[in-house]
Amino acid sequence: SAVISQKPSRDICQRGTSLTIQCQVDSQVTMMFWYRQQPGQSLTLIATANQGSEATYESGFVIDKFPISRPNLTFSTLTVSNMSPEDSSIYLCSVPKEGMNTEAFFGQGTRLTVV
Amino acid sequence: GESVGLHLPTLSVQEGDNSIINCAYSNSASDYFIWYKQESGKGPQFIIDIRSNMDKRQGQRVTVLLNKTVKHLSLQIAATQPGDSAVYFCAETFSGGYNKLIFGAGTRLAVHP
């Protein structure tokens, strides 16, 4: 199984500022995913972080708001830019289990509160 | 996290009883349906999956049933234990989706001694 570490685990930020969330995996993986989980809600896929190319964003999410970096096969960052209280959520990174279509490993999440 | 599951439907069961958690899906093109478990303060954990051409799949203490006619998925947990208390999410994926998981609504399972 893959071990995924996210930093920070939680933060309280002022509106208008930006926060960068880091995701470190203990093995090389081709694909990494970023999800958002709004309070009391399910998970929504933000984007796929591709190594060596731009991230692929899902409908409703744009690069200017959620820039993503993927400098190598074990690391990715998600930035939440120009934050507003509506951005208060848990942000999770995920990697698929090798060779599996359905099983994925998740980080413990970053709980973001925007005040 | 403590906010996970606050606004989700809750299923309360007694320890030792069987639990049935339901999920409706809308995408008939999905190839796999999956159940994930999310404990407080943690990311989701894979429980079991079922391919779209199957009706039933059993795991250890869990069974997933798929009814494509009514687009309904269920997770049965036998002899529910306190450690089963969590939020359960159904999810879908499809071939060519490059492992993207589309999560459905969650259900909070509360197991009482």
Side-chain angles (χ1 to χ4, degrees), chain A:
Chain A
S1 65
V3 177
I4 303 173
S5 300
Q6 278 187 240
K7 290 181 181 179
S9 58
R10 58 177 62 218
D11 207 342
I12 301 173
C13 301
Q14 296 291 322
R15 66 178 68 200
T17 64
S18 297
L19 175 71
T20 295
I21 302 167
Q22 299 179 3
C23 179
Q24 179 76 52
V25 188
D26 68 343
S27 57
Q28 293 187 338
V29 293
T30 305
M31 312 191 75
M32 295 177 75
F33 300 95
W34 286 98
Y35 288 85
R36 180 177 73 183
Q37 187 172 25
Q38 294 176 300
Q41 302 293 320
S42 185
L43 286 78
T44 302
L45 181 63
I46 298 172
T48 304
N50 305 306
Q51 198 270 329
S53 63
E54 273 196 3
T56 306
Y57 289 84
E58 298 298 308
S59 176
F61 297 96
V62 295
I63 188 171
D64 290 346
K65 176 66 177 178
F66 298 101
I68 287 171
S69 79
R70 182 82 196 273
N72 57 54
L73 292 175
T74 64
F75 187 79
S76 177
T77 67
L78 169 76
T79 299
V80 186
S81 303
N82 189 25
M83 288 183 284
S84 67
E86 292 70 35
D87 294 319
S88 297
S89 293
I90 300 172
Y91 292 86
L92 301 107
C93 69
S94 171
V95 301
K97 185 175 182 180
E98 188 173 349
M100 298 292 292
N101 289 331
T102 59
E103 186 170 352
F105 302 108
F106 286 81
Q108 83 280 11
T110 296
R111 177 183 300 278
L112 170 62
T113 303
V114 184
V115 296

Side-chain angles (χ1 to χ4, degrees), chain B:
Chain B
E2 53 269 24
S3 68
V4 174
L6 266 183
H7 307 297
L8 298 170
T10 298
L11 174 66
S12 293
V13 300
Q14 292 294 123
E15 181 178 357
D17 287 352
N18 296 333
S19 303
I20 300 175
I21 301 171
N22 298 303
C23 178
Y25 66 91
S26 58
N27 189 351
S28 300
S30 296
D31 291 310
Y32 287 91
F33 299 89
I34 314 113
W35 283 100
Y36 276 81
K37 171 186 179 183
Q38 186 175 28
E39 297 176 277
S40 181
K42 297 182 179 180
Q45 281 180 286
F46 173 89
I47 302 174
I48 190 168
D49 63 9
I50 186 168
R51 195 162 183 172
S52 60
N53 61 356
M54 299 171 64
D55 299 319
K56 179 179 179 179
R57 189 173 185 211
Q58 287 185 297
Q60 187 176 14
R61 271 201 316 118
V62 295
T63 301
V64 55
L65 298 177
L66 177 63
N67 186 332
K68 294 179 286 294
T69 302
V70 295
K71 297 184 180 178
H72 184 266
L73 185 72
S74 68
L75 177 71
Q76 300 178 0
I77 304 174
T80 313
Q81 303 169 359
D84 295 325
S85 294
V87 178
Y88 289 81
F89 292 100
C90 58
E92 309 167 54
T93 190
F94 56 97
S95 298
Y98 302 103
N99 303 108
K100 290 197 299 186
L101 296 171
I102 309 301
F103 283 86
T107 298
R108 180 180 181 84
L109 177 65
V111 182
H112 302 286

